[in-house]
Amino acid sequence: MRILLAEDDVELASRIAAALAAAGYAVDRAEDGADAEFRGQTEAYDAAVLDLGLPSLDGVSVLHRWREAGLTLPVLVLTARSRWHDKLAGFNAGADDYLTKPFQIEELVLRLQALIRRSTGHASPRLRCGALEFDANAGRFALDGDPLALTAQEHRILAYLIHHAGRVVSRAELGEHVYDNGYDPDSNALDVLIGRIRRKLGVALLHTVRGQGFRLSESP
């Protein structure tokens, strides 16, 4: 899962980015509104964390432009403003959730996880595909009840696939959503990682659909 973090407070952004990376997310950072708007319009993200007080272009304007362009990614808004009309402006612009500074980083991660789950049609934090279970809140996989050891990149790939279990995910889509700062379509790194995940699963859950991509499902 790939997140856009738009926050001009460098220290806070570093703390948020570290927590999201520890939770298994790829994170791209923007420090001003113009960059945030451009990245949101041109890159594939699963969610965004957007500060309203960004320089060059405020967060409400960024969000308005994203929604007017048809972008539907879930957006968690951050602000130092606690007044109701400021919150209302964020929601009217298309925000999905709201956090007022200061806040606990752990709460931000949990709220973002919930937004992503709901955007992919999952109400429960426990996602299943056959013998494979993913606890989205804890960020842990289990196979037949036993912990499944994965590298950071393997975890990102499998997390994206289980959120979209049952449908074919193209190589380009998968690459765009699990690599921070872009994806090289000419690299064979993705195929290597898919092979490693298959071996670790040891069961026929991860399928290659020739010419189309990959599908996580119990059936071929």
Side-chain angles (χ1 to χ4, degrees):
M1 295 289 184
R2 189 175 171 203
I3 308 299
L4 175 60
L5 170 59
E7 169 60 64
D8 63 321
D9 183 326
V10 176
E11 181 180 353
L12 177 59
S14 296
R15 289 170 54 213
I16 294 172
L20 291 174
Y25 296 103
V27 183
D28 291 353
R29 289 170 58 172
E31 294 183 4
D32 64 71
D35 187 28
E37 192 220 347
F38 176 77
R39 286 174 177 266
Q41 298 268 20
T42 58
E43 301 289 340
Y45 294 104
D46 296 286
V49 178
L50 179 67
D51 180 35
L52 291 188
L54 292 171
S56 79
L57 187 66
D58 66 88
V60 170
S61 297
V62 171
L63 192 47
H64 266 303
R65 294 184 185 186
W66 284 350
R67 296 313 191 208
E68 287 175 355
L71 297 180
T72 59
L73 80 165
V75 177
L76 174 61
V77 161
L78 307 179
T79 184
R81 309 163 188 164
S82 59
R83 295 172 298 183
W84 167 243
H85 74 268
D86 293 318
K87 295 180 181 180
L88 183 62
F91 282 119
N92 284 342
D96 297 278
D97 202 356
Y98 206 103
L99 272 177
T100 302
K101 300 175 182 178
F103 53 82
Q104 294 293 322
I105 301 294
E106 294 80 5
E107 181 180 0
L108 180 148
V109 174
L110 286 172
R111 285 175 180 261
L112 197 62
Q113 288 169 335
L115 288 178
I116 292 171
R117 284 201 321 272
R118 289 197 292 270
S119 73
T120 55
H122 300 281
S124 170
R126 293 185 179 272
L127 283 63
R128 298 190 64 90
C129 181
L132 181 68
E133 180 178 85
F134 179 54
D135 184 335
N137 284 349
R140 290 194 293 264
F141 280 97
L143 187 66
D144 284 325
D146 295 322
L148 184 63
L150 299 165
T151 67
Q153 285 290 65
E154 291 166 357
H155 184 282
R156 290 176 184 177
I157 290 170
L158 198 53
Y160 189 81
L161 289 171
I162 201 167
H163 275 85
H164 299 275
R167 79 168 178 86
V168 177
V169 176
S170 71
R171 290 173 53 86
E173 178 184 347
L174 189 56
E176 288 173 349
H177 284 267
V178 301
Y179 288 95
D180 40 14
N181 296 313
Y183 163 64
D184 179 6
D186 295 325
S187 170
N188 70 339
L190 186 57
D191 297 291
V192 172
L193 290 166
I194 289 288
R196 290 177 182 172
I197 295 170
R198 278 203 183 99
R199 288 192 293 273
K200 290 184 178 182
L201 291 176
V203 291
L205 288 176
L206 182 49
H207 311 281
T208 297
V209 182
R210 189 176 298 276
Q212 297 182 53
F214 310 99
R215 184 179 64 240
L216 188 72
S217 67
E218 292 185 83
S219 57

